[in-house]
Amino acid sequence: MLFTRKPAAMPTPETALKGRPHPIPTADTHFVNGRGLLAETPAGFERAVFGLGCFWGAERKFWEQDGVWLTRVGYAGGYTPNPTYEEVCTGQTGHTEVVDVIFDPAVISFEGLMKVFLENHDPTQGMRQGNDVGTQYRSAVHTTSDAQADTARRMIAAYETSLAEAGHAGKITTEVAPLGEIYFAEDYHQQYLAKNPAGYCGIGGTGVSCPVGLSV
């Protein structure tokens, strides 16, 4: 996000920063739609969490989708409890920057969100996205059901085939794991590009379309 070089190897639980017992302050409401930022998932809706590089641009990709009820950004997949942004940026918390998405599956499916996810970053880059280098920029999908995990793995495999057919030699490095603890980021990170329309957005895909449908 700030074009600085960070460690490209994960810490261990023993070497990770210790963190703190209490959550760091975040926003009360979503800057774009006014909903409570920490609202519970409504009945009949679903939740999924995506890491695709800098969460500023990534969040906007998801809040723009019809059927997405709420987005919020945070840190997931690491060891340090309640980390600050500065701590995550050291590479010593193990977290990746993520977008937490609550959506209405009657309007947009998890498969549709996976298409947005895969097409808006390069999932073959390991611990980086373009100029953003470090463990917090790695590609990840944190799922909330076995069905989501199965769909994610099948679509990743299909997209890897599409990338190979388009001449991309790299293998997809996206992590797929059940959602564990997520720590919401500070107020100023939430809906950052709505608050700062000219702000930095490092999101960019491979230009290869992701197949969606019964054949996936």
Side-chain angles (χ1 to χ4, degrees):
M1 188 179 298
L2 301 178
F3 301 106
T4 55
R5 299 292 172 179
K6 314 293 194 321
M10 288 283 286
T12 66
E14 293 74 28
T15 62
L17 298 178
K18 300 306 180 185
R20 56 199 48 77
H22 303 295
I24 57 174
T26 190
D28 293 324
T29 58
H30 194 283
F31 186 79
V32 176
N33 61 34
R35 296 189 175 103
L37 196 79
L38 303 182
E40 297 294 326
T41 303
F45 285 29
E46 294 184 29
R47 182 185 184 193
V49 174
F50 302 93
L52 55 158
C54 171
F55 52 20
W56 291 349
E59 185 182 18
R60 181 170 63 183
K61 290 293 183 183
F62 288 104
W63 86 53
E64 290 177 341
Q65 305 303 311
D66 290 340
V68 168
W69 186 77
L70 188 68
T71 58
R72 54 253 180 126
V73 298
Y75 317 113
Y79 307 115
T80 300
N82 301 299
T84 66
Y85 173 67
E86 288 75 15
E87 289 171 339
V88 172
C89 283
T90 69
Q92 296 303 311
T93 72
H95 295 290
T96 188
E97 296 186 14
V98 296
V99 184
D100 186 5
V101 182
I102 298 175
F103 63 100
D104 182 353
V107 179
I108 186 168
S109 64
F110 176 75
E111 189 177 61
L113 294 176
M114 277 295 300
K115 180 176 173 68
V116 173
F117 166 74
L118 289 169
E119 290 184 350
N120 282 284
H121 77 305
D122 184 344
T124 71
Q125 292 194 340
M127 300 296 184
R128 68 179 298 159
Q129 276 299 302
N131 290 318
D132 293 329
V133 178
T135 55
Q136 77 269 33
Y137 300 117
R138 68 188 186 274
S139 178
V141 181
H142 296 278
T143 59
T144 58
S145 69
D146 290 342
Q148 283 187 3
D150 180 64
T151 296
R153 292 189 177 99
R154 287 188 293 108
M155 290 187 67
I156 287 168
Y159 195 55
E160 192 166 74
T161 298
S162 295
L163 288 174
E165 291 172 349
H168 292 261
K171 296 293 185 180
I172 290 180
T173 59
T174 303
E175 302 172 8
V176 179
L179 177 62
E181 196 72 47
I182 180 171
Y183 303 101
F184 296 116
E186 295 86 339
D187 186 341
Y188 75 97
H189 290 299
Q190 304 297 337
Q191 300 83 60
Y192 179 86
L193 289 182
K195 300 170 184 173
N196 303 276
Y200 167 69
C201 174
I203 294 300
T206 62
V208 177
S209 178
C210 176
V212 171
L214 296 178
S215 62
V216 173

